[in-house]
Amino acid sequence: MTDLSAEDLVAIYAKPTPRVIAKARPAIDAHARKFIEMSPFCVLATSGADGSVDASPRGGGIGFVHVAGPNQLLMPDRSGNNRIDSFRNVVEGSGFVQLLFFVPGIDETLRVGGRGTLSADPDLLAAMVEFGKPPRAALNVAVSEVYFHCGKALMRSKLWSSEKVQRSVMPSIIEVIHDQTGLGEPESQEIVEERYKTQL
């Protein structure tokens, strides 16, 4: 297998159309705002000081990411595994973040890029109570680029299809990690889901 060069890419791929270039906007407009306000899920990508890249899923109630202005987003941080890879990258790495928003039933996605900072301001966190508790911190994104992706990837994957994989085809995440590491005790999916309900 031969690695492609930049020159190879130019030969393989056509130039993007003017419309594809122009769709990248410098701020959140009415369409992007509506999409974010309908979204219960996004993927947050960050880059570390060593050049590593992290991408992690983020979710909440519909519109859990708050549009504070045309160039500002606020995302609450909910209970997780405490690795805080994304947040370490924000404070120790480049500070640049990318968010990819999904809305169930819509094949298009929305990408938002900018520079992130973190806040634990009590008043801000108190305004973001969900699932009966405030977040531990909030990500503040100074937005510099916003654009919609076409729906081809989700159409190809049939992500929103009614045909779903039964959860039982995979062991629980605790059983997987126990097999991989030998640490802790294996737990069934039913036990894991019950505990999740208390940790949202």
mmCIF file of all heavy atoms in Angstrom, residues 64-89:
data_model
loop_
_atom_site.group_PDB
_atom_site.id
_atom_site.type_symbol
_atom_site.label_atom_id
_atom_site.label_comp_id
_atom_site.label_asym_id
_atom_site.label_seq_id
_atom_site.Cartn_x
_atom_site.Cartn_y
_atom_site.Cartn_z
ATOM 1 N N PHE A 64 -29.351 20.966 24.572
ATOM 2 C CA PHE A 64 -28.520 21.034 25.779
ATOM 3 C C PHE A 64 -27.311 21.954 25.616
ATOM 4 O O PHE A 64 -26.776 22.459 26.592
ATOM 5 C CB PHE A 64 -28.073 19.630 26.211
ATOM 6 C CG PHE A 64 -26.955 19.039 25.390
ATOM 7 C CD1 PHE A 64 -25.664 19.018 25.878
ATOM 8 C CD2 PHE A 64 -27.197 18.497 24.134
ATOM 9 C CE1 PHE A 64 -24.632 18.466 25.135
ATOM 10 C CE2 PHE A 64 -26.190 17.941 23.388
ATOM 11 C CZ PHE A 64 -24.893 17.924 23.885
ATOM 12 N N VAL A 65 -26.885 22.169 24.370
ATOM 13 C CA VAL A 65 -25.844 23.169 24.108
ATOM 14 C C VAL A 65 -26.541 24.499 23.865
ATOM 15 O O VAL A 65 -27.414 24.609 23.004
ATOM 16 C CB VAL A 65 -24.977 22.775 22.902
ATOM 17 C CG1 VAL A 65 -23.974 23.880 22.587
ATOM 18 C CG2 VAL A 65 -24.254 21.457 23.173
ATOM 19 N N HIS A 66 -26.165 25.503 24.653
ATOM 20 C CA HIS A 66 -26.848 26.805 24.622
ATOM 21 C C HIS A 66 -26.173 27.755 23.646
ATOM 22 O O HIS A 66 -24.956 27.971 23.706
ATOM 23 C CB HIS A 66 -26.851 27.409 26.028
ATOM 24 C CG HIS A 66 -27.482 28.758 26.090
ATOM 25 N ND1 HIS A 66 -28.822 28.977 25.816
ATOM 26 C CD2 HIS A 66 -26.958 29.977 26.388
ATOM 27 C CE1 HIS A 66 -29.085 30.265 25.950
ATOM 28 N NE2 HIS A 66 -27.977 30.891 26.287
ATOM 29 N N VAL A 67 -26.959 28.325 22.742
ATOM 30 C CA VAL A 67 -26.462 29.358 21.837
ATOM 31 C C VAL A 67 -26.553 30.695 22.569
ATOM 32 O O VAL A 67 -27.627 31.260 22.725
ATOM 33 C CB VAL A 67 -27.270 29.408 20.528
ATOM 34 C CG1 VAL A 67 -26.709 30.496 19.610
ATOM 35 C CG2 VAL A 67 -27.251 28.051 19.824
ATOM 36 N N ALA A 68 -25.412 31.171 23.046
ATOM 37 C CA ALA A 68 -25.385 32.413 23.820
ATOM 38 C C ALA A 68 -25.259 33.643 22.935
ATOM 39 O O ALA A 68 -25.440 34.772 23.400
ATOM 40 C CB ALA A 68 -24.241 32.376 24.834
ATOM 41 N N GLY A 69 -24.957 33.447 21.672
ATOM 42 C CA GLY A 69 -24.806 34.554 20.725
ATOM 43 C C GLY A 69 -24.321 34.009 19.406
ATOM 44 O O GLY A 69 -24.037 32.810 19.283
ATOM 45 N N PRO A 70 -24.200 34.838 18.380
ATOM 46 C CA PRO A 70 -23.773 34.348 17.068
ATOM 47 C C PRO A 70 -22.370 33.757 17.059
ATOM 48 O O PRO A 70 -22.030 32.998 16.154
ATOM 49 C CB PRO A 70 -23.866 35.584 16.169
ATOM 50 C CG PRO A 70 -23.893 36.747 17.101
ATOM 51 C CD PRO A 70 -24.511 36.276 18.365
ATOM 52 N N ASN A 71 -21.565 34.092 18.057
ATOM 53 C CA ASN A 71 -20.209 33.556 18.128
ATOM 54 C C ASN A 71 -19.895 32.953 19.489
ATOM 55 O O ASN A 71 -18.740 32.931 19.926
ATOM 56 C CB ASN A 71 -19.181 34.640 17.782
ATOM 57 C CG ASN A 71 -19.252 35.064 16.335
ATOM 58 O OD1 ASN A 71 -19.863 36.071 16.009
ATOM 59 N ND2 ASN A 71 -18.666 34.277 15.453
ATOM 60 N N GLN A 72 -20.934 32.444 20.167
ATOM 61 C CA GLN A 72 -20.698 31.834 21.476
ATOM 62 C C GLN A 72 -21.646 30.670 21.744
ATOM 63 O O GLN A 72 -22.860 30.802 21.629
ATOM 64 C CB GLN A 72 -20.845 32.867 22.607
ATOM 65 C CG GLN A 72 -20.486 32.299 23.975
ATOM 66 C CD GLN A 72 -20.705 33.295 25.103
ATOM 67 O OE1 GLN A 72 -21.463 34.256 24.955
ATOM 68 N NE2 GLN A 72 -20.035 33.079 26.219
ATOM 69 N N LEU A 73 -21.048 29.536 22.113
ATOM 70 C CA LEU A 73 -21.796 28.369 22.564
ATOM 71 C C LEU A 73 -21.364 28.016 23.979
ATOM 72 O O LEU A 73 -20.195 28.172 24.342
ATOM 73 C CB LEU A 73 -21.516 27.157 21.667
ATOM 74 C CG LEU A 73 -22.091 27.141 20.261
ATOM 75 C CD1 LEU A 73 -21.687 25.843 19.569
ATOM 76 C CD2 LEU A 73 -23.593 27.291 20.280
ATOM 77 N N LEU A 74 -22.316 27.512 24.768
ATOM 78 C CA LEU A 74 -22.031 27.047 26.123
ATOM 79 C C LEU A 74 -22.507 25.605 26.242
ATOM 80 O O LEU A 74 -23.677 25.311 26.003
ATOM 81 C CB LEU A 74 -22.744 27.914 27.154
ATOM 82 C CG LEU A 74 -22.290 29.376 27.222
ATOM 83 C CD1 LEU A 74 -23.246 30.201 28.071
ATOM 84 C CD2 LEU A 74 -20.865 29.469 27.772
ATOM 85 N N MET A 75 -21.591 24.707 26.607
ATOM 86 C CA MET A 75 -21.914 23.290 26.737
ATOM 87 C C MET A 75 -21.664 22.821 28.166
ATOM 88 O O MET A 75 -20.541 22.918 28.666
ATOM 89 C CB MET A 75 -21.060 22.446 25.785
ATOM 90 C CG MET A 75 -21.269 20.939 25.988
ATOM 91 S SD MET A 75 -20.070 19.957 25.079
ATOM 92 C CE MET A 75 -20.693 20.173 23.424
ATOM 93 N N PRO A 76 -22.694 22.297 28.838
ATOM 94 C CA PRO A 76 -22.497 21.764 30.179
ATOM 95 C C PRO A 76 -21.740 20.439 30.125
ATOM 96 O O PRO A 76 -21.877 19.674 29.173
ATOM 97 C CB PRO A 76 -23.927 21.564 30.693
ATOM 98 C CG PRO A 76 -24.732 21.332 29.453
ATOM 99 C CD PRO A 76 -24.095 22.167 28.382
ATOM 100 N N ASP A 77 -20.932 20.169 31.139
ATOM 101 C CA ASP A 77 -20.225 18.891 31.227
ATOM 102 C C ASP A 77 -20.923 17.998 32.235
ATOM 103 O O ASP A 77 -21.017 18.336 33.413
ATOM 104 C CB ASP A 77 -18.767 19.100 31.641
ATOM 105 C CG ASP A 77 -18.009 17.788 31.645
ATOM 106 O OD1 ASP A 77 -18.075 17.075 30.632
ATOM 107 O OD2 ASP A 77 -17.353 17.472 32.657
ATOM 108 N N ARG A 78 -21.421 16.870 31.776
ATOM 109 C CA ARG A 78 -22.137 15.933 32.635
ATOM 110 C C ARG A 78 -21.217 14.815 33.119
ATOM 111 O O ARG A 78 -20.090 14.675 32.668
ATOM 112 C CB ARG A 78 -23.333 15.330 31.875
ATOM 113 C CG ARG A 78 -24.311 16.352 31.348
ATOM 114 C CD ARG A 78 -25.010 17.117 32.458
ATOM 115 N NE ARG A 78 -25.824 18.206 31.934
ATOM 116 C CZ ARG A 78 -26.295 19.199 32.654
ATOM 117 N NH1 ARG A 78 -26.042 19.255 33.961
ATOM 118 N NH2 ARG A 78 -27.021 20.157 32.102
ATOM 119 N N SER A 79 -21.750 14.019 34.028
ATOM 120 C CA SER A 79 -20.999 12.920 34.623
ATOM 121 C C SER A 79 -20.437 11.995 33.553
ATOM 122 O O SER A 79 -21.129 11.627 32.605
ATOM 123 C CB SER A 79 -21.922 12.138 35.559
ATOM 124 O OG SER A 79 -21.272 10.999 36.063
ATOM 125 N N GLY A 80 -19.163 11.633 33.697
ATOM 126 C CA GLY A 80 -18.516 10.746 32.742
ATOM 127 C C GLY A 80 -17.500 9.867 33.449
ATOM 128 O O GLY A 80 -17.670 9.511 34.615
ATOM 129 N N ASN A 81 -16.410 9.545 32.746
ATOM 130 C CA ASN A 81 -15.419 8.623 33.308
ATOM 131 C C ASN A 81 -14.283 9.334 34.044
ATOM 132 O O ASN A 81 -13.356 8.691 34.541
ATOM 133 C CB ASN A 81 -14.841 7.725 32.208
ATOM 134 C CG ASN A 81 -14.188 8.528 31.087
ATOM 135 O OD1 ASN A 81 -13.811 9.679 31.246
ATOM 136 N ND2 ASN A 81 -14.052 7.901 29.926
ATOM 137 N N ASN A 82 -14.336 10.659 34.092
ATOM 138 C CA ASN A 82 -13.334 11.475 34.804
ATOM 139 C C ASN A 82 -11.943 11.448 34.174
ATOM 140 O O ASN A 82 -10.987 11.913 34.793
ATOM 141 C CB ASN A 82 -13.242 11.088 36.284
ATOM 142 C CG ASN A 82 -14.505 11.440 37.041
ATOM 143 O OD1 ASN A 82 -15.099 12.483 36.811
ATOM 144 N ND2 ASN A 82 -14.928 10.571 37.936
ATOM 145 N N ARG A 83 -11.819 10.951 32.944
ATOM 146 C CA ARG A 83 -10.521 11.048 32.260
ATOM 147 C C ARG A 83 -10.246 12.495 31.850
ATOM 148 O O ARG A 83 -9.093 12.901 31.756
ATOM 149 C CB ARG A 83 -10.502 10.155 31.022
ATOM 150 C CG ARG A 83 -10.369 8.670 31.327
ATOM 151 C CD ARG A 83 -10.328 7.866 30.038
ATOM 152 N NE ARG A 83 -9.326 8.363 29.117
ATOM 153 C CZ ARG A 83 -8.282 7.657 28.699
ATOM 154 N NH1 ARG A 83 -8.101 6.421 29.134
ATOM 155 N NH2 ARG A 83 -7.425 8.165 27.836
ATOM 156 N N ILE A 84 -11.284 13.238 31.580
ATOM 157 C CA ILE A 84 -11.248 14.649 31.146
ATOM 158 C C ILE A 84 -10.215 14.911 30.045
ATOM 159 O O ILE A 84 -9.578 15.963 30.014
ATOM 160 C CB ILE A 84 -11.074 15.629 32.325
ATOM 161 C CG1 ILE A 84 -9.818 15.327 33.161
ATOM 162 C CG2 ILE A 84 -12.318 15.645 33.208
ATOM 163 C CD1 ILE A 84 -9.546 16.388 34.256
ATOM 164 N N ASP A 85 -10.087 13.975 29.119
ATOM 165 C CA ASP A 85 -9.148 14.158 28.002
ATOM 166 C C ASP A 85 -9.469 15.414 27.205
ATOM 167 O O ASP A 85 -8.567 16.194 26.864
ATOM 168 C CB ASP A 85 -9.198 12.941 27.065
ATOM 169 C CG ASP A 85 -8.735 11.664 27.740
ATOM 170 O OD1 ASP A 85 -7.751 11.713 28.484
ATOM 171 O OD2 ASP A 85 -9.367 10.620 27.512
ATOM 172 N N SER A 86 -10.751 15.621 26.906
ATOM 173 C CA SER A 86 -11.143 16.789 26.106
ATOM 174 C C SER A 86 -10.776 18.081 26.822
ATOM 175 O O SER A 86 -10.233 19.011 26.213
ATOM 176 C CB SER A 86 -12.653 16.764 25.834
ATOM 177 O OG SER A 86 -13.019 15.624 25.105
ATOM 178 N N PHE A 87 -11.094 18.143 28.102
ATOM 179 C CA PHE A 87 -10.852 19.383 28.834
ATOM 180 C C PHE A 87 -9.365 19.631 29.077
ATOM 181 O O PHE A 87 -8.921 20.777 29.098
ATOM 182 C CB PHE A 87 -11.636 19.383 30.139
ATOM 183 C CG PHE A 87 -13.110 19.677 29.950
ATOM 184 C CD1 PHE A 87 -13.962 19.721 31.032
ATOM 185 C CD2 PHE A 87 -13.639 19.929 28.696
ATOM 186 C CE1 PHE A 87 -15.319 20.013 30.869
ATOM 187 C CE2 PHE A 87 -14.976 20.212 28.511
ATOM 188 C CZ PHE A 87 -15.823 20.257 29.604
ATOM 189 N N ARG A 88 -8.593 18.575 29.255
ATOM 190 C CA ARG A 88 -7.129 18.761 29.347
ATOM 191 C C ARG A 88 -6.605 19.354 28.034
ATOM 192 O O ARG A 88 -5.732 20.217 28.041
ATOM 193 C CB ARG A 88 -6.435 17.441 29.643
ATOM 194 C CG ARG A 88 -6.605 16.949 31.064
ATOM 195 C CD ARG A 88 -5.665 15.788 31.358
ATOM 196 N NE ARG A 88 -6.031 15.146 32.599
ATOM 197 C CZ ARG A 88 -5.734 15.607 33.796
ATOM 198 N NH1 ARG A 88 -5.052 16.740 33.907
ATOM 199 N NH2 ARG A 88 -6.094 14.965 34.882
ATOM 200 N N ASN A 89 -7.143 18.861 26.930
ATOM 201 C CA ASN A 89 -6.711 19.397 25.640
ATOM 202 C C ASN A 89 -7.079 20.865 25.499
ATOM 203 O O ASN A 89 -6.313 21.657 24.928
ATOM 204 C CB ASN A 89 -7.341 18.599 24.499
ATOM 205 C CG ASN A 89 -6.733 17.227 24.324
ATOM 206 O OD1 ASN A 89 -5.678 16.929 24.881
ATOM 207 N ND2 ASN A 89 -7.387 16.381 23.556
#
